[in-house]
Amino acid sequence: MKAVRIHEFGGSDKVRLEEMAILDPLPGTARVHVRAAAVNPVDWMIRERIYNPEGADRVPLTLGQDFSGVIDKMGHSAKTDLKEGDEVFGEVWGSFAEYVVVPVEHLVRKPPHLDFVAAASIPMPALTAWQAVIDAARAGPGMRFLIHGASGGVGSFAVQFARLKGASVAATASPPSFDFLRSVGVDPIVDYHRQRFEDVIKSVDVVLDPLGGEVMARSLKVLRPGGLLINLIGEADEEGAKKAGFHAINFGMEYVPRQLAEIARLVEHGTIKPHISQVLPLAEVRKALDLNQQGQSHGKIVLEVPWARA
């Protein structure tokens, strides 16, 4: 099978599309024939060893995390109502490949009217947004959010979940995403290339910050007393925030298949719209990773995987 591999950590030049053996599923797992795999910042961060979670911390390594596809073969003792031929999606390390082996409890049945590209775009960013906006911030009517990087995978889902729960949303983004953000009810939208958001936005209840650094420091100026800063990269000073009269949390996503299934139903019914900017073939994975790393994707990039049975 074809797989996107690295044999040493580093830049884009370390990425290779190469042949490797198709693995047999272990007991309690299923082998999935991948149809699409989405690109996330975590993918190039792992490649450069900026982030090295267990399971993706040594080379050689197949890149990728989010995927959709069709169950090709079930392992022994797999306790599930899923079967070979079922369409599924979810997360697994090594999804930039024609086949992946996944624990059956991590697989989510793909709704029949949700295409493979849309399904692959959902898992990591949508779960992060759901758990931050709905579980942590408890979004509801009368609340006001500021969401940074609203055109990205997490941000584009976060603005929609906040709006779904009746909150108003302000956002920072770049002009190519303005039409999408207006279509889901974001107002105001600040072009971060041309304006300082703190000059436009005041007194919000919640800031969702995937950037940290200077942006996080400036974000504190727009929080109301007692407001909440949710930092996605672990830079928030939680104790310092408490002393300053607001709340801050360093947020980490938990993979919850039940929530993923609920989000997929919302997408299937058109209540939530994935913000997919480009669909590229697996062979163009270097381009996809570079665009994401350079902040030029202006939405989600999804890789389509060649569909041919082994």
Side-chain angles (χ1 to χ4, degrees):
M1 71 170 183
K2 289 183 172 61
V4 175
R5 306 271 284 169
I6 59 171
H7 292 264
E8 56 183 306
F9 294 104
S12 182
D13 62 308
K14 306 301 182 186
V15 176
R16 304 178 188 174
L17 182 63
E18 59 188 36
E19 291 286 340
M20 63 180 297
I22 298 175
L23 299 175
D24 285 325
L26 300 169
T29 71
R31 187 172 70 200
V32 176
H33 197 161
V34 177
R35 297 294 302 274
V39 175
N40 296 303
V42 68
D43 300 319
W44 57 263
M45 289 181 178
I46 285 172
R47 183 199 67 203
E48 298 196 359
R49 215 171 190 182
I50 297 170
Y51 176 55
N52 58 338
E54 185 178 357
D57 55 352
R58 62 185 64 184
V59 291
L61 174 68
T62 302
L63 297 175
Q65 184 177 17
D66 292 348
F67 73 93
S68 64
V70 178
I71 294 178
D72 172 71
K73 185 176 180 180
M74 298 295 297
H76 296 297
S77 307
K79 297 179 180 179
T80 177
D81 60 353
L82 292 168
K83 61 185 184 302
E84 292 174 9
D86 283 349
E87 297 177 347
V88 294
F89 72 114
E91 285 189 355
V92 67
W93 295 122
S95 70
F96 292 175
E98 291 182 313
Y99 292 87
V100 289
V101 173
V102 189
V104 292
E105 66 269 21
H106 291 180
L107 291 171
V108 176
R109 191 184 301 277
K110 183 180 75 64
H113 300 296
L114 186 64
D115 66 45
F116 286 106
V117 167
S121 76
I122 295 172
M124 191 285 293
L127 282 173
T128 300
W130 181 279
Q131 292 169 14
V133 169
I134 295 176
D135 294 345
R138 300 186 181 276
M143 292 181 68
R144 192 161 182 244
F145 280 69
L146 168 60
I147 295 175
H148 291 300
S151 66
V154 174
S156 60
F157 280 112
V159 298
Q160 293 180 79
F161 293 148
R163 294 289 296 137
L164 181 67
K165 292 298 182 179
S168 63
V169 179
T172 61
S174 56
S177 300
F178 284 7
D179 287 346
F180 172 82
L181 294 173
R182 291 189 185 105
S183 77
V184 295
V186 178
D187 182 45
I189 305 168
V190 177
D191 180 351
Y192 61 86
H193 293 296
R194 299 173 61 89
Q195 292 176 293
R196 293 179 67 85
F197 62 83
E198 64 268 35
D199 294 337
V200 180
I201 298 164
K202 306 293 181 184
S203 191
V204 300
D205 298 283
V206 181
V207 173
L208 184 64
D209 169 33
L211 304 170
E214 180 198 6
V215 169
M216 182 175 66
R218 290 162 53 202
S219 294
L220 303 182
K221 300 176 183 178
V222 308
L223 271 176
R224 66 163 179 78
L228 172 65
L229 171 74
I230 302 175
N231 180 264
L232 301 184
I233 60 173
E235 288 192 356
D237 178 0
E238 297 178 3
E239 287 301 315
K242 187 174 181 181
K243 292 177 182 177
F246 57 91
H247 305 283
I249 59 174
N250 290 305
F251 178 84
M253 184 271 284
E254 178 184 0
Y255 185 68
V256 182
R258 171 185 50 79
Q259 290 182 334
L260 189 54
E262 186 174 352
I263 294 166
R265 287 190 290 270
L266 292 172
V267 175
E268 183 188 34
H269 295 149
T271 307
I272 299 297
K273 305 172 187 176
H275 184 29
I276 299 168
S277 60
Q278 293 189 64
V279 180
L280 298 173
L282 184 66
E284 294 188 32
V285 62
R286 282 189 181 181
K287 176 182 177 181
L289 289 167
D290 288 347
L291 287 170
N292 186 278
Q293 184 173 8
Q294 294 160 10
Q296 295 179 6
S297 55
H298 306 299
K300 197 74 175 171
I301 298 177
V302 179
L303 299 169
E304 283 192 308
V305 180
W307 177 242
R309 294 195 176 278

